[in-house]
Amino acid sequence: MSFEVSADAYTKFMARFSEPLAVQFADLAGVGSGGESGDGPADGSRGSQRALDVGCGPGALSAELVRRLGSICAVDPSEPFVLAARDRLPEAEVRLAPAEQLPFDDGRFDVTMAQLVVQFLTDPVAGLREMARVTRPGGVVAACVWDRGGGRSPLSTFWSAVDELDPVDGESSGPGVCQGGLARLFAQAGLAVALDTELTVRVPQIGFDEWWEPFLLGVGPGGDYVLSLDEDRRAQLRERCQQLLAAGPPVVSATAWAVTGAVG
């Protein structure tokens, strides 16, 4: 599985879901609220909270954090994503680094967040421990992942079609993707779970060609799978996906598990 793809490819693939999710996720973590996550102003305006976005990608969550706080830090292990985030958000300090080796001192941040990242980490528990390390005592670590195990991710239709034609362990596996899984990872990392909930976004359905194109760009597990197919099997999968989408609702919902933890 690879995310060494262009930022534009990933944006086409996920941004219409990840950007509205970022608004809810930042609210959940108390960013800009003046609440338990830091010293931000009570009126929700830009303040002095120090925030880190781990696995920032092209900057969906980072952009929301910058909107609220003015400046933030962010990291991602993909160089194309880091360059894109830097171009998009000159207010942010964006570094090339994996979650498991964050290049920051202990206790630097008031809130450290990972949106749609934990399930792809080489070592999710180590990544969460690093997030806790760079967060001050009393600060907040927050993470969210799509409910792939419950079939409520933006890609559930795709994986349903895959399963009909070629049963694989595609969407339902992975760290934290089932109910309670993300909270268990927090506990293994030594973080006291403050809140374990779900966040749902709803977006209009798009045309099929626009929906299918990102799979041909090799983004994530779905893109890897499509590129692994021969021409005939790819055509079969495309046809079945088109049938399922045509029968679906005009507004698509996707749900993520979201957990916040307090740093002791």
Side-chain angles (χ1 to χ4, degrees):
M1 180 193 65
S2 174
F3 285 95
E4 291 297 328
V5 295
S6 74
D8 182 61
Y10 182 81
T11 297
K12 289 179 179 179
F13 193 68
M14 191 56 65
R16 66 194 184 103
F17 293 96
S18 60
E19 290 180 355
L21 178 66
V23 177
Q24 296 186 41
F25 189 37
D27 286 344
L28 186 76
V31 176
S33 69
E36 62 179 353
S37 61
D39 301 320
D43 63 2
S45 62
R46 294 185 177 194
S48 59
Q49 282 177 292
R50 301 163 299 169
L52 172 64
D53 180 4
V54 176
C56 64
L61 176 60
S62 291
E64 180 61 22
L65 299 180
V66 165
R67 186 185 71 80
R68 297 178 184 219
L69 302 178
S71 64
I72 64 157
C73 293
V75 299
D76 198 276
S78 167
E79 186 171 8
F81 288 176
V82 167
L83 295 175
R86 286 173 179 170
D87 287 344
R88 178 181 182 182
L89 301 167
E91 310 93 332
E93 176 189 340
V94 187
R95 300 192 192 184
L96 182 68
E100 295 90 343
Q101 295 178 315
L102 297 175
F104 301 105
D105 294 336
D106 295 0
R108 175 169 173 179
F109 301 100
D110 300 302
V111 56
T112 302
M113 306 176 68
Q115 176 171 294
L116 309 178
V117 170
V118 170
Q119 70 271 36
F120 298 119
L121 297 183
T122 302
D123 189 336
V125 173
L128 289 169
R129 284 177 180 153
E130 271 289 273
M131 291 172 65
R133 179 187 64 79
V134 301
T135 306
R136 66 165 176 82
V140 168
V141 171
C144 65
V145 300
W146 292 124
D147 179 21
R148 294 161 59 185
R152 297 189 294 172
S153 89
L155 303 184
S156 291
T157 297
F158 169 82
W159 288 113
S160 293
V162 169
D163 191 58
E164 289 181 20
L165 301 174
D166 177 24
V168 297
D169 190 15
E171 179 167 64
S172 61
S173 64
V177 301
C178 296
Q179 185 172 12
L182 189 55
R184 285 191 291 273
L185 292 174
F186 268 60
Q188 292 171 29
L191 283 159
V193 173
L195 186 62
D196 182 2
T197 188
E198 57 183 59
L199 304 174
T200 298
V201 297
R202 294 175 175 83
V203 302
Q205 184 60 274
I206 56 178
F208 179 76
D209 288 341
E210 184 180 359
W211 180 90
W212 176 253
E213 179 191 3
F215 290 101
L216 304 178
L217 301 176
V219 182
D224 282 352
Y225 179 79
V226 168
L227 295 184
S228 75
L229 300 175
D230 61 34
E231 186 175 341
D232 288 342
R233 292 175 68 207
R234 191 179 302 172
Q236 291 174 3
L237 177 59
R238 185 186 189 280
E239 181 179 2
R240 184 56 181 146
C241 285
Q242 190 167 20
Q243 292 170 348
L244 291 176
L245 283 178
V251 175
V252 182
S253 67
T255 296
W257 299 115
V259 172
T260 64
V263 176

